[in-house]
Amino acid sequence: MDKRAILQKFASYAPYVDTQMLEKAFDYSIKAHAEQARASGEDYFVHCLAVAESLLDWKMDLPTIAAGLLHDVIEDTSVTAEKLRQSFGEEIMRLVVALTKLDKVQFSSRDDAQAENWRRMILATAQDIRVIIIKLADRLHNMQTISYLPPDKIERIAHETLSLYAPLAHRLGMFEIKGYLEDLSFAVLHPEEHQDIEAKVLARLPAREAMLSEFRKMLEHALSKSDSPHRVLARTKNLYSIYMKMQRQKKPFEDIQDALGVRLITDTVADCYALLGLLHTHFQPVPDTFTDYIAHPKLNLYKSLHTTVIGPKGECIEVQIRTEDMHRTAEYGIAAHWRYKTGEASKDAHLEEKLNWLRQWIEWLQDLDSPREFLDSLKTDLDLYQVFVFTPLGDVKALVQDATPIDFAYAVHTDIGHSCVGARVNNKMVKLDTHLKSGDIVEILTKKNSTPKRDWLKVVKSARARSKIRRWLREKGIAA
Ligand code: MN
């Protein structure tokens, strides 16, 4: 991709934006990295370009793409933050600074350096979410070109990608990049398993496609009289998620139920429910499989209707129904909100509100004392297997796996956590170390003047509860 192609691609979705700054960033980055090469032997600038290209794919705004082109200049060249500010202004300079790792010599070990760099980046993300979006584009290209690195480096980087970047992409609802990052890491960490699953998936593809196309024909027919516009998309699972399912269920590939799935994309929310009604009229729904993520969106902004129906040959087919808008959000997550609409940066009016959970979460993490503790909590909290539980009033709270009523109490409010004395789950009294399950309705019993117990630290699973209890103990002069 050359400069013209970059400008063209940008103009294709933001035609009225002045691109002078983008051109300048392009020239500046080429010049700054002129003496540098990648491990592959290519010009270093190829990497900057690849990062910008991903950001253009996600239709990001101009400062983000410019910062993508410039993201390594402070770290790897003689350019300083001050020079960048003079040339590109405060906004772009800040993005690049947030993406710059601290000098290694400041740390006693690589783990310390990694922990502190993560802490800085996440805190910068709380100020400006575009930081992590650029970082994900950066990591994607690094993973695509990882084979040029020495083996020990490959393993370390792939592990970090799998344990931090992919879950973070998941949290931000960026499912497309999450899948790429997982499969690229999987391929280098477990090459044999990767190859094996890939071959098996390919082998059963024709049979699955035949079944799906038959279902699609029946579906199109069933929906032909509908006023709701729609298109049907096939759905694929990434290889790593199949592998994880095999690990979790301790079953070979052949015994893994990988249901056939399609997506129905339509116009409005009303269309979604109309299509759902038609679908359930023509195909028998499987009991208890319907989930309404439109009425109850996930924390990562994901919305859709999910249901499973019986197909023509008696097979189960998962159907996801969503609007075009929800579909973009499902693929690009938070990045979808930086898209330009009609040439102007139209930021989602409710975006701030929607990002509140992220800010809150970072705020809790901020309470943690050491960078190591920060990184550990980040890893724990990023655990993909979240549980969703409900307050008696029907509000959803997302908690980490094996969360207890105490974690829930702190998720509702710090004071509720502090004064918690008991809990009812689904109307039954339970012990405070009970592991909550998705769908549980949790009611916390509190008592005035009751206080946190030190033992709770052994029980709680979330960073928030742990930090709130610690802080309380510290303030009361009790050693945690
Ligand atoms: Mn980079």
Side-chain angles (χ1 to χ4, degrees), residues 44 47 71-72 138 142:
Y44 196 90
H47 168 64
H71 78 277
D72 276 329
D138 178 39
N142 285 339

Side-chain angles (χ1 to χ4, degrees), residues 38 44 47-48 51 68 71-72 75-76 99 134-135 137-139 141-142:
R38 295 275 288 174
Y44 196 90
H47 168 64
C48 311
V51 171
H71 78 277
D72 276 329
E75 192 170 310
D76 294 337
L99 292 157
I134 300 169
K135 192 68 202 173
D138 178 39
R139 183 50 64 116
H141 187 248
N142 285 339

Side-chain angles (χ1 to χ4, degrees), residues 170-184:
H170 179 103
R171 267 295 175 97
L172 299 175
M174 301 175 70
F175 286 102
E176 195 188 45
I177 184 170
K178 175 212 160 225
Y180 290 150
L181 291 174
E182 280 183 349
D183 283 355
L184 288 163

